[in-house]
Amino acid sequence: MAEDIAGSPGPSRRDVLRRGLFLGGAAVVGGAVGAVADHVAEHHDGGGDTVPFYGAHQGGVVTDTQQNTVIASFDLHTTSRDEVVEVLRRWTALAASLAHGDSTTVPIYTPKDVSDSYSNTTQISTTSDSLEAWQVGPSRLTVTIGFGRGLFLSEGKDRYGIASRMPEELVELPHFAGDELDPAQSDGDLFLQACGDDLQVVFHAVRSIARISPDVAALRWTQIGYSPSNKAGTPRNLMGFKDGTINSNAHPPADLDSTLWAPADGQSWMRGGTYLVYRRIRMSLEHWDRLQVGDQEKVIGRQKVSGAPLGARDEFDALDLDTRGSDGAPAIPVDAHVRLAAPETNDGAVLIRRAFAYNNGTTQFTERWPPWRQALEYDAGLLFLGYQQDPRKSFVAINSKLAINDALNQFTTHTASAVFAIPPGASGPGHWVGETLFA
Amino acid sequence: MAEDIAGSPGPSRRDVLRRGLFLGGAAVVGGAVGAVADHVAEHHDGGGDTVPFYGAHQGGVVTDTQQNTVIASFDLHTTSRDEVVEVLRRWTALAASLAHGDSTTVPIYTPKDVSDSYSNTTQISTTSDSLEAWQVGPSRLTVTIGFGRGLFLSEGKDRYGIASRMPEELVELPHFAGDELDPAQSDGDLFLQACGDDLQVVFHAVRSIARISPDVAALRWTQIGYSPSNKAGTPRNLMGFKDGTINSNAHPPADLDSTLWAPADGQSWMRGGTYLVYRRIRMSLEHWDRLQVGDQEKVIGRQKVSGAPLGARDEFDALDLDTRGSDGAPAIPVDAHVRLAAPETNDGAVLIRRAFAYNNGTTQFTERWPPWRQALEYDAGLLFLGYQQDPRKSFVAINSKLAINDALNQFTTHTASAVFAIPPGASGPGHWVGETLFA
């Protein structure tokens, strides 16, 4: 892994195609190499659905939410700082190519040890793009790279000489009441978030990047999500309520420098970056569906149809936390989700959320409420991707309250979790995500 | 479950909404009932993306493949024929409403036994639509209902007096070489296949129908799939090859009466129906990605870029099974997938396939080839949904050969399986899928 593929990508898929090496067996029996080269030129324009990759901030944070996401976490199996740097250079270069609509520049992967577990097969190198997203276009693809605590300190070891640069905002989350976290679906040293309007393109991005150096950065978990659609406004989550009226990338606060981007007095290499808290939140849909709508509304604190706060008229009306109904009780109950999560009750703390639904089929599940029924239930709910300047002041502060008091807890269980530093963007070709940390 | 909801749906969501009962708690604090009624009227037009539900055949078979699918299987927990009939009447009526764009007519569910496991919660009835697909539109939704062998014979018992009407085409599949089937993700008494261009709408359909009578028809498994997109032609599967050039609903054979629809000399209640074989086929993408493209092409028997059969020029050229290359070997190797699966080598047997990709994240997996590496790998691949007149002549005959000889077996594993009779369609409102069997 010595050569610099960002600056000098070696024989690209395109070159290989043009040289006609690609069709291998097909060429023997009369390949169509000329036609292939034409196709390659053609797929490069990519239409108008391109989100620029390079910039002060990484894409996929304040970018308008795309229809699909695949997130993935990786464990690093190396003690070499150079290898980690090389992984990040290659990841960045490929992410940029993919985001700009070139799906056929997956670099050649050379296993570091040809006597690895594949060595007694006849084919040991990955020589080309997997091609399933070819000609589909970039579909607003964004690829966001993140760093877990394990990059800085792994079982107490400073593997890459950067422990002193670990941001204090990159916290280890406390155990929250009700957490039922699966360690195999949580945490990780490196993180990829691919988002786009076509799942074929999005998964292709993760798969292609994961292929670059599987021996160094090995997949730990992946999770797929989709953005609920609502042609009439704010999307509805699987509970049927509008999700994203506040604390959302759809309506970010005006002053992102004091809420989203890493603090000016923090680690300087994180300027322009942010911090992500990921929680996979299972919704007990079967239980929820048996609740009267009026009671669902009291749990959330909003009207189901309009999305208006209880006691108000329109979705975007301010929460009135003091109004009381004719029965003297607060219109928004004391344990309603919106009350407990609102900036007004959290010293102004906000999160920039990208809301995705997830649906992992059905699993045997023990419900968290009496009579603790065990049944086959949906493993479906919400992928919470919350970006913030300081998780201690935002997610940890807010969720410490929610985990204990939120009426919604009867219907939700956090089953996976991670925190990642999202470094600033790569400023242009040749630059890479993590350069400010390692360079 | 005595009343006929197909003919007389009782208080619909719409009626409830118009009467203003819906907003419950919200009404107390100043609801927006008038605005709600307007919205309800508005969402009914549903745009032009409606697939008619009623007809001689069920939708979702020859219907152009939609972008998303959720399939679900159910076990029947009743010995009452009347209850099964009532389930099918309700399923059909709701499926028709949903397909026609009305997402708010989920009927009221009354548990047959209020002392069930939910009885010590204060809310025991499902009173409304879950609303997450409201105003999204039908999105070409189709809902297809199927019957497993367990409907006719369950552990040797003829629970509903219909064992003599079990079609002989509704076979129990033999064990095929290489099968690694998960029983918990296979089979079932009843089957739902929802397809549409919006996953929010598609999952809403399954969830809503599954809610009708969960004590009688209990969810057994669900599986989500998506249709790969290819703006330039035949979609590519996750192996990067075009999938659907032959044996596909995109190019069905001319004579469906002799290939797809149930045979004229079979069970008369199945006229207009068909038989579905479902296989969830995991692809070992990590292994596949390490193969040279030329060798991938020899495994499949087609060129990767163009989709043309080896030895031919264009995707839709006929397979030439006799052409030899300059080395004297057949251009399409003897163990190539297309050779073994082709109608030409299977006495003309065809399948109408709807190809969906699936991606269930990553799982620990033991590879099927030397050195039988154990690793965390993608649980992703293909949902094979093959429709045919007689699975014995089509799927079983073809797959018996494929399972032993197909070069593709090194890269694929069948992990879930089911066979369902897909009865004819309901001919119009008031009619129901299964009427020809039970009436």
Side-chain angles (χ1 to χ4, degrees), chain B residues 168-169 257 261-268 271 389-390 392-393:
Chain B
E168 57 187 30
E169 292 83 5
D257 285 334
W261 305 123
D265 59 355
Q267 289 280 353
S268 59
R271 297 275 161 75
Q389 182 169 78
D390 187 341
R392 296 169 300 179
K393 294 178 187 160

Side-chain angles (χ1 to χ4, degrees), chain A residues 201-232:
Chain A
V201 170
V202 172
F203 178 47
H204 174 263
V206 169
R207 172 182 176 185
S208 300
I209 294 170
R211 285 170 66 195
I212 290 181
S213 48
D215 300 320
V216 176
L219 213 49
R220 178 179 169 89
W221 52 261
T222 63
Q223 175 63 53
I224 293 180
Y226 62 99
S227 175
S229 52
N230 180 4
K231 299 187 181 83

Side-chain angles (χ1 to χ4, degrees), chain A residues 23 117-118 123 126 128 136 198 200 207 220 229 231 236 238 289 292 295 297 367 371 373 376, chain B residues 22-23 117-118 123 136 198 200 207 220 229 231 236 238 289 292-293 295 297 367 371 373 376:
Chain A
L23 288 176
S117 60
Y118 282 99
Q123 311 298 339
T126 290
S128 68
V136 180
D198 189 296
Q200 187 92 338
R207 172 182 176 185
R220 178 179 169 89
S229 52
K231 299 187 181 83
R236 292 179 186 277
L238 291 178
D289 282 348
Q292 302 284 354
D295 291 318
E297 294 179 326
E367 292 181 347
R373 194 174 79 129
L376 192 78
Chain B
F22 170 54
L23 288 177
S117 62
Y118 281 100
Q123 312 297 340
V136 179
D198 189 296
Q200 186 93 336
R207 172 182 176 186
R220 178 180 170 89
S229 51
K231 298 187 181 85
R236 293 179 186 277
L238 292 178
D289 281 349
Q292 301 284 353
V293 170
D295 291 318
E297 294 178 327
E367 291 180 346
R373 194 174 77 128
L376 191 78

Side-chain angles (χ1 to χ4, degrees), chain B residues 128-148:
Chain B
S128 68
D129 181 77
S130 50
L131 221 66
E132 77 273 18
W134 191 50
Q135 296 180 315
V136 179
S139 306
R140 293 205 295 144
L141 177 69
T142 55
V143 178
T144 315
I145 297 171
F147 299 161

Side-chain angles (χ1 to χ4, degrees), chain A residues 306-358:
Chain A
S306 68
L310 296 185
R313 181 162 184 90
D314 295 315
E315 178 186 353
F316 293 102
D317 285 350
L319 298 183
D320 184 341
L321 299 171
D322 301 319
T323 297
R324 290 174 182 272
S326 55
D327 60 355
I332 298 177
V334 294
D335 59 354
H337 179 73
V338 291
R339 177 187 288 273
L340 297 171
E344 294 91 317
T345 62
N346 289 285
D347 296 325
V350 293
L351 292 157
I352 314 293
R353 294 168 68 237
R354 293 167 76 79
F356 291 97
Y358 83 91

Side-chain angles (χ1 to χ4, degrees), chain A residues 53 58-61 95 142-146 191-195 387 422-423 433:
Chain A
F53 178 80
Q58 289 196 69
V61 179
T142 56
V143 177
T144 315
I145 297 171
F191 174 72
L192 281 182
Q193 171 196 284
C195 301
Y387 306 85
I422 307 295
V433 174

